[in-house]
Amino acid sequence: LGLSCGEASEQREREADRAWTDPSMSEAKETITKESLAKALASRIEKLEQCIVVDTSGGCGSAFELYLVTEAFAGVPLLERHRMVQKALKKELEQIHALSMKTWTPAQWEKKKAKLPKELLESKSSK
């Protein structure tokens, strides 16, 4: 099961302490931010037209909501779309404990965006 924000922070602190005292460990991992996640998605998912990342963890980088729009999702079942995103974020998912995603084609986006909160659309990171 996932860790709470506090537990995730404690885990990262333990890893950082261990990295400091154990030279065989690689450098401590940086906290994932919505900006770093949006950048990773934009560079790894083909023709990404919309990329909205919401940090639902309270700032500790352990939980996110994604709203992704690309023609690459056309004709692809929902489960496979999510697998595509998970594969693109394999490295980041080592630190993320909760991830919710909406994966839409441009046609689906046009139908659904009117129902999204205005604040969500204003805070988007789009390509």
PDB file of all heavy atoms in Angstrom, residues 31-64:
ATOM      1  N   THR A  31      12.988  15.159  -4.964  1.00  0.00           N
ATOM      2  CA  THR A  31      11.538  15.109  -4.860  1.00  0.00           C
ATOM      3  C   THR A  31      10.926  15.397  -6.225  1.00  0.00           C
ATOM      4  O   THR A  31      11.354  16.304  -6.924  1.00  0.00           O
ATOM      5  CB  THR A  31      11.042  16.140  -3.832  1.00  0.00           C
ATOM      6  OG1 THR A  31      11.613  15.830  -2.562  1.00  0.00           O
ATOM      7  CG2 THR A  31       9.535  16.135  -3.726  1.00  0.00           C
ATOM      8  N   ILE A  32       9.924  14.614  -6.571  1.00  0.00           N
ATOM      9  CA  ILE A  32       9.213  14.821  -7.827  1.00  0.00           C
ATOM     10  C   ILE A  32       8.286  16.030  -7.649  1.00  0.00           C
ATOM     11  O   ILE A  32       7.604  16.152  -6.644  1.00  0.00           O
ATOM     12  CB  ILE A  32       8.360  13.582  -8.180  1.00  0.00           C
ATOM     13  CG1 ILE A  32       9.212  12.311  -8.245  1.00  0.00           C
ATOM     14  CG2 ILE A  32       7.601  13.804  -9.470  1.00  0.00           C
ATOM     15  CD1 ILE A  32      10.159  12.231  -9.385  1.00  0.00           C
ATOM     16  N   THR A  33       8.281  16.915  -8.635  1.00  0.00           N
ATOM     17  CA  THR A  33       7.374  18.067  -8.628  1.00  0.00           C
ATOM     18  C   THR A  33       6.436  17.951  -9.826  1.00  0.00           C
ATOM     19  O   THR A  33       6.703  17.197 -10.759  1.00  0.00           O
ATOM     20  CB  THR A  33       8.144  19.391  -8.745  1.00  0.00           C
ATOM     21  OG1 THR A  33       8.806  19.424 -10.020  1.00  0.00           O
ATOM     22  CG2 THR A  33       9.166  19.552  -7.621  1.00  0.00           C
ATOM     23  N   LYS A  34       5.360  18.724  -9.804  1.00  0.00           N
ATOM     24  CA  LYS A  34       4.455  18.674 -10.949  1.00  0.00           C
ATOM     25  C   LYS A  34       5.161  19.191 -12.209  1.00  0.00           C
ATOM     26  O   LYS A  34       4.915  18.694 -13.300  1.00  0.00           O
ATOM     27  CB  LYS A  34       3.152  19.427 -10.671  1.00  0.00           C
ATOM     28  CG  LYS A  34       3.262  20.901 -10.458  1.00  0.00           C
ATOM     29  CD  LYS A  34       1.889  21.489 -10.164  1.00  0.00           C
ATOM     30  CE  LYS A  34       1.949  22.996 -10.090  1.00  0.00           C
ATOM     31  NZ  LYS A  34       0.614  23.570  -9.883  1.00  0.00           N
ATOM     32  N   GLU A  35       6.098  20.131 -12.040  1.00  0.00           N
ATOM     33  CA  GLU A  35       6.843  20.643 -13.189  1.00  0.00           C
ATOM     34  C   GLU A  35       7.781  19.584 -13.766  1.00  0.00           C
ATOM     35  O   GLU A  35       7.855  19.417 -14.987  1.00  0.00           O
ATOM     36  CB  GLU A  35       7.640  21.896 -12.791  1.00  0.00           C
ATOM     37  CG  GLU A  35       6.784  23.103 -12.443  1.00  0.00           C
ATOM     38  CD  GLU A  35       6.225  23.082 -11.018  1.00  0.00           C
ATOM     39  OE1 GLU A  35       6.667  22.257 -10.194  1.00  0.00           O
ATOM     40  OE2 GLU A  35       5.325  23.892 -10.730  1.00  0.00           O
ATOM     41  N   SER A  36       8.483  18.858 -12.890  1.00  0.00           N
ATOM     42  CA  SER A  36       9.406  17.832 -13.394  1.00  0.00           C
ATOM     43  C   SER A  36       8.640  16.675 -14.029  1.00  0.00           C
ATOM     44  O   SER A  36       9.082  16.095 -15.019  1.00  0.00           O
ATOM     45  CB  SER A  36      10.321  17.315 -12.275  1.00  0.00           C
ATOM     46  OG  SER A  36       9.606  16.592 -11.285  1.00  0.00           O
ATOM     47  N   LEU A  37       7.470  16.373 -13.493  1.00  0.00           N
ATOM     48  CA  LEU A  37       6.641  15.314 -14.056  1.00  0.00           C
ATOM     49  C   LEU A  37       6.091  15.734 -15.423  1.00  0.00           C
ATOM     50  O   LEU A  37       6.118  14.944 -16.377  1.00  0.00           O
ATOM     51  CB  LEU A  37       5.494  15.005 -13.093  1.00  0.00           C
ATOM     52  CG  LEU A  37       4.929  13.606 -13.105  1.00  0.00           C
ATOM     53  CD1 LEU A  37       5.989  12.536 -12.972  1.00  0.00           C
ATOM     54  CD2 LEU A  37       3.895  13.457 -12.013  1.00  0.00           C
ATOM     55  N   ALA A  38       5.640  16.970 -15.547  1.00  0.00           N
ATOM     56  CA  ALA A  38       5.133  17.479 -16.825  1.00  0.00           C
ATOM     57  C   ALA A  38       6.237  17.472 -17.882  1.00  0.00           C
ATOM     58  O   ALA A  38       6.001  17.090 -19.036  1.00  0.00           O
ATOM     59  CB  ALA A  38       4.568  18.889 -16.657  1.00  0.00           C
ATOM     60  N   LYS A  39       7.439  17.849 -17.495  1.00  0.00           N
ATOM     61  CA  LYS A  39       8.567  17.857 -18.426  1.00  0.00           C
ATOM     62  C   LYS A  39       8.893  16.432 -18.891  1.00  0.00           C
ATOM     63  O   LYS A  39       9.122  16.199 -20.077  1.00  0.00           O
ATOM     64  CB  LYS A  39       9.788  18.490 -17.749  1.00  0.00           C
ATOM     65  CG  LYS A  39      10.979  18.635 -18.654  1.00  0.00           C
ATOM     66  CD  LYS A  39      12.129  19.339 -17.942  1.00  0.00           C
ATOM     67  CE  LYS A  39      13.339  19.428 -18.844  1.00  0.00           C
ATOM     68  NZ  LYS A  39      14.465  20.086 -18.182  1.00  0.00           N
ATOM     69  N   ALA A  40       8.898  15.480 -17.967  1.00  0.00           N
ATOM     70  CA  ALA A  40       9.181  14.092 -18.313  1.00  0.00           C
ATOM     71  C   ALA A  40       8.123  13.552 -19.267  1.00  0.00           C
ATOM     72  O   ALA A  40       8.446  12.894 -20.274  1.00  0.00           O
ATOM     73  CB  ALA A  40       9.253  13.234 -17.052  1.00  0.00           C
ATOM     74  N   LEU A  41       6.866  13.831 -18.984  1.00  0.00           N
ATOM     75  CA  LEU A  41       5.784  13.359 -19.844  1.00  0.00           C
ATOM     76  C   LEU A  41       5.870  13.963 -21.240  1.00  0.00           C
ATOM     77  O   LEU A  41       5.724  13.267 -22.242  1.00  0.00           O
ATOM     78  CB  LEU A  41       4.432  13.677 -19.207  1.00  0.00           C
ATOM     79  CG  LEU A  41       4.072  12.838 -17.990  1.00  0.00           C
ATOM     80  CD1 LEU A  41       2.965  13.503 -17.183  1.00  0.00           C
ATOM     81  CD2 LEU A  41       3.672  11.438 -18.416  1.00  0.00           C
ATOM     82  N   ALA A  42       6.129  15.271 -21.301  1.00  0.00           N
ATOM     83  CA  ALA A  42       6.213  15.957 -22.595  1.00  0.00           C
ATOM     84  C   ALA A  42       7.339  15.399 -23.462  1.00  0.00           C
ATOM     85  O   ALA A  42       7.212  15.327 -24.686  1.00  0.00           O
ATOM     86  CB  ALA A  42       6.401  17.459 -22.384  1.00  0.00           C
ATOM     87  N   SER A  43       8.409  14.969 -22.834  1.00  0.00           N
ATOM     88  CA  SER A  43       9.538  14.455 -23.614  1.00  0.00           C
ATOM     89  C   SER A  43       9.402  12.964 -23.945  1.00  0.00           C
ATOM     90  O   SER A  43      10.088  12.475 -24.829  1.00  0.00           O
ATOM     91  CB  SER A  43      10.853  14.703 -22.869  1.00  0.00           C
ATOM     92  OG  SER A  43      10.922  13.898 -21.707  1.00  0.00           O
ATOM     93  N   ARG A  44       8.502  12.257 -23.261  1.00  0.00           N
ATOM     94  CA  ARG A  44       8.433  10.801 -23.429  1.00  0.00           C
ATOM     95  C   ARG A  44       7.152  10.284 -24.073  1.00  0.00           C
ATOM     96  O   ARG A  44       7.099   9.126 -24.471  1.00  0.00           O
ATOM     97  CB  ARG A  44       8.617  10.113 -22.080  1.00  0.00           C
ATOM     98  CG  ARG A  44       9.961  10.415 -21.455  1.00  0.00           C
ATOM     99  CD  ARG A  44      10.066   9.801 -20.089  1.00  0.00           C
ATOM    100  NE  ARG A  44      11.189  10.372 -19.355  1.00  0.00           N
ATOM    101  CZ  ARG A  44      11.306  10.334 -18.050  1.00  0.00           C
ATOM    102  NH1 ARG A  44      10.394   9.714 -17.316  1.00  0.00           N
ATOM    103  NH2 ARG A  44      12.342  10.888 -17.450  1.00  0.00           N
ATOM    104  N   ILE A  45       6.118  11.112 -24.154  1.00  0.00           N
ATOM    105  CA  ILE A  45       4.869  10.674 -24.773  1.00  0.00           C
ATOM    106  C   ILE A  45       4.705  11.424 -26.092  1.00  0.00           C
ATOM    107  O   ILE A  45       4.707  12.657 -26.126  1.00  0.00           O
ATOM    108  CB  ILE A  45       3.658  10.898 -23.847  1.00  0.00           C
ATOM    109  CG1 ILE A  45       3.803   9.999 -22.622  1.00  0.00           C
ATOM    110  CG2 ILE A  45       2.360  10.607 -24.587  1.00  0.00           C
ATOM    111  CD1 ILE A  45       2.660  10.068 -21.652  1.00  0.00           C
ATOM    112  N   GLU A  46       4.548  10.655 -27.137  1.00  0.00           N
ATOM    113  CA  GLU A  46       4.483  11.176 -28.497  1.00  0.00           C
ATOM    114  C   GLU A  46       3.303  12.132 -28.696  1.00  0.00           C
ATOM    115  O   GLU A  46       2.182  11.834 -28.303  1.00  0.00           O
ATOM    116  CB  GLU A  46       4.350   9.981 -29.451  1.00  0.00           C
ATOM    117  CG  GLU A  46       4.376  10.334 -30.904  1.00  0.00           C
ATOM    118  CD  GLU A  46       4.237   9.094 -31.776  1.00  0.00           C
ATOM    119  OE1 GLU A  46       4.588   8.000 -31.326  1.00  0.00           O
ATOM    120  OE2 GLU A  46       3.769   9.257 -32.907  1.00  0.00           O
ATOM    121  N   LYS A  47       3.603  13.276 -29.287  1.00  0.00           N
ATOM    122  CA  LYS A  47       2.591  14.259 -29.679  1.00  0.00           C
ATOM    123  C   LYS A  47       1.623  14.633 -28.548  1.00  0.00           C
ATOM    124  O   LYS A  47       0.426  14.740 -28.759  1.00  0.00           O
ATOM    125  CB  LYS A  47       1.804  13.753 -30.887  1.00  0.00           C
ATOM    126  CG  LYS A  47       2.663  13.489 -32.105  1.00  0.00           C
ATOM    127  CD  LYS A  47       1.842  12.917 -33.235  1.00  0.00           C
ATOM    128  CE  LYS A  47       2.741  12.565 -34.407  1.00  0.00           C
ATOM    129  NZ  LYS A  47       2.000  11.870 -35.456  1.00  0.00           N
ATOM    130  N   LEU A  48       2.146  14.846 -27.383  1.00  0.00           N
ATOM    131  CA  LEU A  48       1.326  15.218 -26.233  1.00  0.00           C
ATOM    132  C   LEU A  48       0.794  16.638 -26.427  1.00  0.00           C
ATOM    133  O   LEU A  48       1.557  17.590 -26.487  1.00  0.00           O
ATOM    134  CB  LEU A  48       2.154  15.113 -24.946  1.00  0.00           C
ATOM    135  CG  LEU A  48       1.411  15.173 -23.627  1.00  0.00           C
ATOM    136  CD1 LEU A  48       0.400  14.024 -23.518  1.00  0.00           C
ATOM    137  CD2 LEU A  48       2.386  15.106 -22.472  1.00  0.00           C
ATOM    138  N   GLU A  49      -0.523  16.766 -26.542  1.00  0.00           N
ATOM    139  CA  GLU A  49      -1.147  18.056 -26.809  1.00  0.00           C
ATOM    140  C   GLU A  49      -1.525  18.798 -25.531  1.00  0.00           C
ATOM    141  O   GLU A  49      -1.476  20.025 -25.483  1.00  0.00           O
ATOM    142  CB  GLU A  49      -2.394  17.870 -27.681  1.00  0.00           C
ATOM    143  CG  GLU A  49      -2.058  17.348 -29.060  1.00  0.00           C
ATOM    144  CD  GLU A  49      -3.296  17.137 -29.911  1.00  0.00           C
ATOM    145  OE1 GLU A  49      -4.329  17.804 -29.668  1.00  0.00           O
ATOM    146  OE2 GLU A  49      -3.229  16.306 -30.827  1.00  0.00           O
ATOM    147  N   GLN A  50      -1.932  18.072 -24.520  1.00  0.00           N
ATOM    148  CA  GLN A  50      -2.265  18.650 -23.225  1.00  0.00           C
ATOM    149  C   GLN A  50      -1.622  17.807 -22.144  1.00  0.00           C
ATOM    150  O   GLN A  50      -1.639  16.578 -22.218  1.00  0.00           O
ATOM    151  CB  GLN A  50      -3.782  18.663 -22.988  1.00  0.00           C
ATOM    152  CG  GLN A  50      -4.561  19.545 -23.919  1.00  0.00           C
ATOM    153  CD  GLN A  50      -4.311  21.016 -23.678  1.00  0.00           C
ATOM    154  OE1 GLN A  50      -3.989  21.444 -22.572  1.00  0.00           O
ATOM    155  NE2 GLN A  50      -4.458  21.814 -24.715  1.00  0.00           N
ATOM    156  N   CYS A  51      -1.074  18.485 -21.164  1.00  0.00           N
ATOM    157  CA  CYS A  51      -0.466  17.792 -20.036  1.00  0.00           C
ATOM    158  C   CYS A  51      -0.745  18.624 -18.788  1.00  0.00           C
ATOM    159  O   CYS A  51      -0.114  19.656 -18.572  1.00  0.00           O
ATOM    160  CB  CYS A  51       1.040  17.632 -20.252  1.00  0.00           C
ATOM    161  SG  CYS A  51       1.882  16.832 -18.883  1.00  0.00           S
ATOM    162  N   ILE A  52      -1.719  18.165 -18.020  1.00  0.00           N
ATOM    163  CA  ILE A  52      -2.067  18.850 -16.775  1.00  0.00           C
ATOM    164  C   ILE A  52      -1.650  17.931 -15.639  1.00  0.00           C
ATOM    165  O   ILE A  52      -2.064  16.773 -15.584  1.00  0.00           O
ATOM    166  CB  ILE A  52      -3.567  19.167 -16.692  1.00  0.00           C
ATOM    167  CG1 ILE A  52      -3.989  20.047 -17.873  1.00  0.00           C
ATOM    168  CG2 ILE A  52      -3.895  19.842 -15.360  1.00  0.00           C
ATOM    169  CD1 ILE A  52      -5.490  20.264 -17.986  1.00  0.00           C
ATOM    170  N   VAL A  53      -0.799  18.437 -14.767  1.00  0.00           N
ATOM    171  CA  VAL A  53      -0.311  17.663 -13.623  1.00  0.00           C
ATOM    172  C   VAL A  53      -0.730  18.398 -12.354  1.00  0.00           C
ATOM    173  O   VAL A  53      -0.451  19.576 -12.192  1.00  0.00           O
ATOM    174  CB  VAL A  53       1.226  17.512 -13.664  1.00  0.00           C
ATOM    175  CG1 VAL A  53       1.712  16.722 -12.465  1.00  0.00           C
ATOM    176  CG2 VAL A  53       1.674  16.857 -14.970  1.00  0.00           C
ATOM    177  N   VAL A  54      -1.406  17.672 -11.461  1.00  0.00           N
ATOM    178  CA  VAL A  54      -1.861  18.239 -10.197  1.00  0.00           C
ATOM    179  C   VAL A  54      -1.194  17.466  -9.067  1.00  0.00           C
ATOM    180  O   VAL A  54      -1.288  16.245  -9.004  1.00  0.00           O
ATOM    181  CB  VAL A  54      -3.403  18.149 -10.059  1.00  0.00           C
ATOM    182  CG1 VAL A  54      -3.856  18.744  -8.736  1.00  0.00           C
ATOM    183  CG2 VAL A  54      -4.084  18.815 -11.238  1.00  0.00           C
ATOM    184  N   ASP A  55      -0.496  18.179  -8.197  1.00  0.00           N
ATOM    185  CA  ASP A  55       0.132  17.561  -7.028  1.00  0.00           C
ATOM    186  C   ASP A  55      -0.925  17.453  -5.937  1.00  0.00           C
ATOM    187  O   ASP A  55      -1.379  18.459  -5.404  1.00  0.00           O
ATOM    188  CB  ASP A  55       1.315  18.397  -6.550  1.00  0.00           C
ATOM    189  CG  ASP A  55       2.081  17.772  -5.391  1.00  0.00           C
ATOM    190  OD1 ASP A  55       1.519  16.893  -4.704  1.00  0.00           O
ATOM    191  OD2 ASP A  55       3.235  18.163  -5.170  1.00  0.00           O
ATOM    192  N   THR A  56      -1.344  16.236  -5.620  1.00  0.00           N
ATOM    193  CA  THR A  56      -2.371  16.014  -4.597  1.00  0.00           C
ATOM    194  C   THR A  56      -1.758  15.575  -3.271  1.00  0.00           C
ATOM    195  O   THR A  56      -2.476  15.179  -2.359  1.00  0.00           O
ATOM    196  CB  THR A  56      -3.392  14.959  -5.076  1.00  0.00           C
ATOM    197  OG1 THR A  56      -2.705  13.745  -5.364  1.00  0.00           O
ATOM    198  CG2 THR A  56      -4.138  15.443  -6.304  1.00  0.00           C
ATOM    199  N   SER A  57      -0.433  15.672  -3.169  1.00  0.00           N
ATOM    200  CA  SER A  57       0.264  15.199  -1.968  1.00  0.00           C
ATOM    201  C   SER A  57       0.488  16.296  -0.935  1.00  0.00           C
ATOM    202  O   SER A  57       1.023  16.019   0.128  1.00  0.00           O
ATOM    203  CB  SER A  57       1.625  14.620  -2.360  1.00  0.00           C
ATOM    204  OG  SER A  57       2.502  15.648  -2.784  1.00  0.00           O
ATOM    205  N   GLY A  58       0.153  17.512  -1.273  1.00  0.00           N
ATOM    206  CA  GLY A  58       0.428  18.606  -0.360  1.00  0.00           C
ATOM    207  C   GLY A  58       1.842  19.127  -0.509  1.00  0.00           C
ATOM    208  O   GLY A  58       2.351  19.814   0.363  1.00  0.00           O
ATOM    209  N   GLY A  59       2.497  18.775  -1.603  1.00  0.00           N
ATOM    210  CA  GLY A  59       3.826  19.302  -1.891  1.00  0.00           C
ATOM    211  C   GLY A  59       4.987  18.360  -1.655  1.00  0.00           C
ATOM    212  O   GLY A  59       6.126  18.693  -1.949  1.00  0.00           O
ATOM    213  N   CYS A  60       4.740  17.158  -1.142  1.00  0.00           N
ATOM    214  CA  CYS A  60       5.867  16.252  -0.878  1.00  0.00           C
ATOM    215  C   CYS A  60       6.220  15.384  -2.088  1.00  0.00           C
ATOM    216  O   CYS A  60       7.201  14.660  -2.057  1.00  0.00           O
ATOM    217  CB  CYS A  60       5.607  15.379   0.353  1.00  0.00           C
ATOM    218  SG  CYS A  60       4.446  14.047   0.089  1.00  0.00           S
ATOM    219  N   GLY A  61       5.423  15.466  -3.159  1.00  0.00           N
ATOM    220  CA  GLY A  61       5.774  14.758  -4.386  1.00  0.00           C
ATOM    221  C   GLY A  61       5.464  13.279  -4.385  1.00  0.00           C
ATOM    222  O   GLY A  61       6.110  12.525  -5.112  1.00  0.00           O
ATOM    223  N   SER A  62       4.478  12.849  -3.605  1.00  0.00           N
ATOM    224  CA  SER A  62       4.195  11.416  -3.569  1.00  0.00           C
ATOM    225  C   SER A  62       2.857  11.052  -4.193  1.00  0.00           C
ATOM    226  O   SER A  62       2.559   9.877  -4.349  1.00  0.00           O
ATOM    227  CB  SER A  62       4.245  10.904  -2.126  1.00  0.00           C
ATOM    228  OG  SER A  62       3.207  11.486  -1.365  1.00  0.00           O
ATOM    229  N   ALA A  63       2.040  12.040  -4.599  1.00  0.00           N
ATOM    230  CA  ALA A  63       0.740  11.749  -5.187  1.00  0.00           C
ATOM    231  C   ALA A  63       0.392  12.807  -6.245  1.00  0.00           C
ATOM    232  O   ALA A  63       0.560  14.003  -6.010  1.00  0.00           O
ATOM    233  CB  ALA A  63      -0.331  11.717  -4.110  1.00  0.00           C
ATOM    234  N   PHE A  64      -0.096  12.325  -7.399  1.00  0.00           N
ATOM    235  CA  PHE A  64      -0.397  13.223  -8.505  1.00  0.00           C
ATOM    236  C   PHE A  64      -1.633  12.772  -9.268  1.00  0.00           C
ATOM    237  O   PHE A  64      -1.958  11.587  -9.299  1.00  0.00           O
ATOM    238  CB  PHE A  64       0.778  13.272  -9.494  1.00  0.00           C
ATOM    239  CG  PHE A  64       2.018  13.883  -8.931  1.00  0.00           C
ATOM    240  CD1 PHE A  64       2.979  13.088  -8.336  1.00  0.00           C
ATOM    241  CD2 PHE A  64       2.229  15.248  -8.979  1.00  0.00           C
ATOM    242  CE1 PHE A  64       4.135  13.634  -7.798  1.00  0.00           C
ATOM    243  CE2 PHE A  64       3.379  15.813  -8.438  1.00  0.00           C
ATOM    244  CZ  PHE A  64       4.333  15.001  -7.853  1.00  0.00           C
TER     245      PHE A  64
END
